[in-house]
Amino acid sequence: MPTISIITSVYDAKDYLPLTVKSILAQTFTDFELILVEDGSPNGCGEVCDELAKTDGRIRVVHKPNGGPASAANAGLDAAKGRYISYVDSDDLLEPDFLETLYNMVQESGCPLAACGAECIDEEGSRLGRGVTVAEDLLGEGDALNQFYDVLRDGGMYCMVTWNKLYDARLFEGVRHDETMFFGDDANIMDKIYDGHRIVATNKPLYLYRVRTGNMTSAAFSVKKLDDLRLYGGWVDFFAQKPGRADLYRRAVARYWQVFYLFYVHAREAGPLSPELKTGFAKHKKKLNGLLSAILHCPYVPAAEKLRAALFVLNPEGCYRLAVARGSLRRGKEEGA
């Protein structure tokens, strides 16, 4: 049985996958299996996976009909045999000591999971000088749920991505990715993974995250993006059931309102809402309506935003039009000054 199972979901990445696999096979920690989950990609990814598997006995390929990233991740978890799990996206790269460093961190700390920093690379593999880091107060060993401060307090996503971490496989017992979600499909499990556990974290950039033009995370706003409202709303519900986490609950409420309003503005800036988007926002607005009191009493929502939230709950379109009018008025005054 391998010590580590690496899960790589593969769809439309045949030009990058060989480089990704090469960086995985070059790891200084060698006791691992690499599970390539070929998610019904139409452009020859399946054949590339099979050819790569011939080059190293540690590579296994799982072929499945296309079901999306969550479905592929779950297929990888079901196939994994290792005592630890790590995710690597099919177009990303690893520094040679990624596995060794994270494995040593969990062994030395006794924590069931470890995380590292990441650096962004472009489509040609050049480093972009920016990446994924976490606040200093969240580094080292600590309560894993405190990692939520990264996204709820600081606006980062270090703690919410699955791909820069090493997990004890037992953390996934009874836990699977939500296959109905297209966005946030990885982050939606992190409250369950973190709950009741400790984590050890470093900002050493051992993971290289490729930024591709037109990939899923950089695509234009679509109704699928509303999955993120389900994600943030789920965190509100999660922390509402944690009496000892009142501060994170309040921060989750503030972030939910912020994300909801920003999504609405971004969608409207592209033009009138489509019937699909109208239906999607209306569905999520029921939750927002129920949270209005919590928003109005939240210390992390500025007074002006509380007023905006109250107006938005009453009339989202009217609130948006008012914001547009105020913005135009300000610009006119500045230009005339």
Side-chain angles (χ1 to χ4, degrees), residues 195 234-246 249:
D195 193 17
W235 293 340
V236 169
D237 295 340
F238 175 78
F239 286 111
Q241 301 301 315
K242 299 286 182 182
R245 299 287 179 170
Y249 169 72

Side-chain angles (χ1 to χ4, degrees), residues 17-327:
L17 184 61
L19 294 174
T20 299
V21 170
K22 182 179 180 180
S23 77
I24 293 172
L25 296 180
Q27 290 297 293
T28 55
F29 185 97
T30 60
D31 186 15
F32 64 84
E33 64 173 352
L34 171 58
I35 303 171
L36 300 177
V37 183
E38 189 273 308
D39 191 33
S41 184
N43 63 350
C45 280
E47 291 81 356
V48 173
C49 289
D50 290 336
E51 288 302 313
L52 288 168
K54 295 176 183 178
T55 68
D56 195 296
R58 293 172 296 180
I59 302 176
R60 290 196 287 137
V61 182
V62 175
H63 295 280
K64 62 181 290 299
N66 179 247
S71 172
N74 285 338
L77 286 172
D78 292 340
K81 299 178 180 178
R83 292 189 290 114
Y84 293 89
I85 301 291
S86 188
Y87 294 88
V88 179
D89 283 358
S90 58
D91 54 356
D92 295 342
L93 303 175
L94 301 179
E95 294 287 12
D97 57 341
F98 171 81
L99 289 180
E100 182 178 9
T101 299
L102 295 187
Y103 181 75
N104 287 340
M105 287 168 65
V106 296
Q107 294 302 307
E108 292 168 5
S109 68
C111 296
L113 67 159
C116 69
E119 186 171 357
C120 293
I121 57 175
D122 63 17
E123 294 182 68
E124 285 71 43
S126 299
R127 297 173 186 260
L128 297 177
R130 56 185 171 87
V132 178
T133 58
V134 69
E136 290 295 322
D137 62 321
L138 300 178
L139 293 175
E141 183 182 345
D143 187 321
L145 280 179
N146 285 341
Q147 293 290 314
F148 269 92
Y149 280 107
D150 176 57
V151 59
L152 300 178
R153 178 192 68 191
D154 304 326
M157 287 301 290
Y158 174 97
C159 66
M160 292 298 102
V161 296
T162 55
W163 40 252
N164 63 338
K165 299 176 177 68
L166 182 69
Y167 311 81
D168 188 310
R170 290 171 293 186
L171 295 175
F172 292 94
E173 293 178 358
V175 176
R176 286 297 184 270
H177 300 269
D178 186 345
E179 297 186 12
T180 67
M181 296 183 72
F182 190 75
F183 283 88
D185 56 283
D186 52 355
N188 77 83
I189 67 169
M190 299 312 290
D191 52 352
K192 306 174 187 66
I193 294 295
Y194 286 152
D195 193 17
H197 299 290
R198 297 184 67 77
I199 187 173
V200 56
T202 176
N203 267 336
K204 188 176 181 182
L206 302 173
Y207 192 101
L208 302 179
Y209 176 77
R210 193 182 303 273
V211 180
R212 284 202 283 160
T213 303
N215 69 1
M216 190 174 75
T217 52
S218 63
F221 193 93
S222 72
V223 70
K224 292 179 179 179
K225 185 66 176 170
L226 295 183
D227 283 346
D228 278 351
L229 289 180
R230 289 174 55 193
L231 176 66
Y232 284 93
W235 293 340
V236 169
D237 295 340
F238 175 78
F239 286 111
Q241 301 301 315
K242 299 286 182 182
R245 299 287 179 170
D247 187 60
L248 282 171
Y249 169 72
R250 291 189 290 265
R251 292 184 184 276
V253 167
R255 183 64 64 179
Y256 182 73
W257 155 243
Q258 180 184 51
V259 172
F260 198 114
Y261 183 70
L262 285 176
F263 278 11
Y264 190 87
V265 169
H266 290 166
R268 278 295 283 111
E269 285 179 340
L273 297 182
S274 67
E276 193 176 22
L277 274 172
K278 285 183 179 179
T279 300
F281 275 114
K283 178 181 177 181
H284 289 287
K285 187 173 175 292
K286 294 179 181 178
K287 186 176 193 67
L288 182 68
N289 294 351
L291 288 173
L292 181 59
S293 177
I295 293 170
L296 296 179
H297 290 88
C298 181
Y300 302 117
V301 179
E305 281 301 305
K306 291 177 180 178
L307 176 59
R308 191 199 301 274
L311 292 174
F312 188 88
V313 165
L314 288 174
N315 188 335
E317 184 63 16
C319 183
Y320 170 74
R321 290 180 179 274
L322 178 62
V324 171
R326 285 173 59 84

